[in-house]
């Protein structure tokens, strides 16, 4: 009976670990218009990976200045390269040797974001993520959606918050005369 319970417990733990999977993620953050922020990209993995590749799409008004290797990636000899096309950055983090990211949750890159003066918030998508395991098999990695906001005080007084149209008022005590009508 004790062995059966142990086997069930081990099987349930294995299912729990499998459900976690490999994932790239970034915390939600706040940025002011006309400013820059550096955000760590976290790789939470259950498998050792020799390299990863993913796409990252920032919202309108937020751009990626550069993506650089984190201390953890540098220690493992990893290189970060990226290219941008139509607002989508494709990023590769890899090593030419035999090193690999061990199973862990560690920052693997630092992403430098720049918000322009008209930025009002949005979502960053991390998608189409793949990894290369130590046995050279391609592995799908779950992406993330990051919510980026602007401090509420920065939104007050923006053109969208101001009154639209011209300032008009009507005096109901005097009749309104249109220019095409003769005066009474």
């Amino acid at each position: 009976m004790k062995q059966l319970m142990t086997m069930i417990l081990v099987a349930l733990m294995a299912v729990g670990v499998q459900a976690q999977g490999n994932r790239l993620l970034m915390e939600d953050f706040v940025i002011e218009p006309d400013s820059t922020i550096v955000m760590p990209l976290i790789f939470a993995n259950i498998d050792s990976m020799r390299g990863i590749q993913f796409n990252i799409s920032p919202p309108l008004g937020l751009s990626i200045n550069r993506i650089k290797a984190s201390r953890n990636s540098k220690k493992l000899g990893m290189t970060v390269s990226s290219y941008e096309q139509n607002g989508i950055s494709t990023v590769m983090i890899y090593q030419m040797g035999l090193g690999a990211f061990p199973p862990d949750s560690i920052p693997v890159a630092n992403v430098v974001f720049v918000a322009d003066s008209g930025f009002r918030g949005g979502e960053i998508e991390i998608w189409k993520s793949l990894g290369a395991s130590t046995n050279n098999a391609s592995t799908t990695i779950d992406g993330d959606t990051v919510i980026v906001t602007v401090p509420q005080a920065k939104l007050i007084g923006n053109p969208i918050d101001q009154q639209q149209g011209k300032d008009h008022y009507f005096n109901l005590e005097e009749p309104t005369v249109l220019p095409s009508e003769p005066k009474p």
Side-chain angles (χ1 to χ4, degrees):
M1 182 68 176
K2 205 178 212 183
Q3 289 178 336
L4 178 64
M5 291 302 285
T6 304
M7 287 176 40
I8 291 173
L9 183 61
V10 168
L12 287 174
M13 286 174 42
V15 168
V17 168
Q18 251 183 351
Q20 290 175 349
N22 300 307
R23 185 169 183 206
L24 280 169
L25 55 113
M26 186 180 294
E27 289 198 29
D28 297 344
F29 62 93
V30 177
I31 187 170
E32 294 196 22
D34 280 330
S35 66
T36 301
I37 191 169
V38 178
M39 291 300 297
L41 178 73
I42 309 296
F43 185 35
N45 57 319
I46 59 168
D47 303 316
S48 293
M49 294 284 171
R50 290 185 190 212
I52 55 178
Q53 175 179 327
F54 58 93
N55 290 339
I56 184 166
S57 305
L60 187 64
L62 187 69
S63 59
I64 297 173
N65 183 314
R66 68 178 201 219
I67 302 171
K68 53 189 178 178
S70 70
R71 276 188 252 158
N72 297 318
S73 293
K74 287 178 185 176
K75 284 180 188 175
L76 294 171
M78 298 286 178
T79 301
V80 175
S81 64
S82 65
Y83 67 92
E84 188 253 327
Q85 183 176 11
N86 299 326
I88 299 170
S89 291
T90 300
V91 182
M92 292 157 280
I93 304 174
Y94 59 93
Q95 184 198 43
M96 296 305 287
L98 296 175
F101 290 115
D104 202 352
S105 292
I106 58 171
V108 293
N110 293 310
V111 185
V112 181
F113 291 103
V114 178
D116 66 20
S117 61
F119 182 64
R120 301 292 170 254
E123 294 180 345
I124 298 171
E125 296 290 330
I126 301 171
W127 53 285
K128 206 172 182 181
S129 307
L130 296 171
S133 66
T134 53
N135 62 358
N136 295 327
S138 178
T139 304
T140 302
I141 299 171
D142 293 332
D144 194 20
T145 300
V146 182
I147 304 207
V148 185
T149 55
V150 174
Q152 190 67 28
K154 294 293 179 182
L155 294 175
I156 297 171
N158 288 327
I160 194 132
D161 297 326
Q162 295 173 356
Q163 182 177 1
Q164 303 296 316
K166 298 178 182 176
D167 289 333
H168 290 294
Y169 67 93
F170 295 96
N171 185 347
L172 297 176
E173 293 177 7
E174 296 179 16
T176 305
V177 177
L178 298 174
S180 60
E181 295 180 9
K183 293 184 181 181

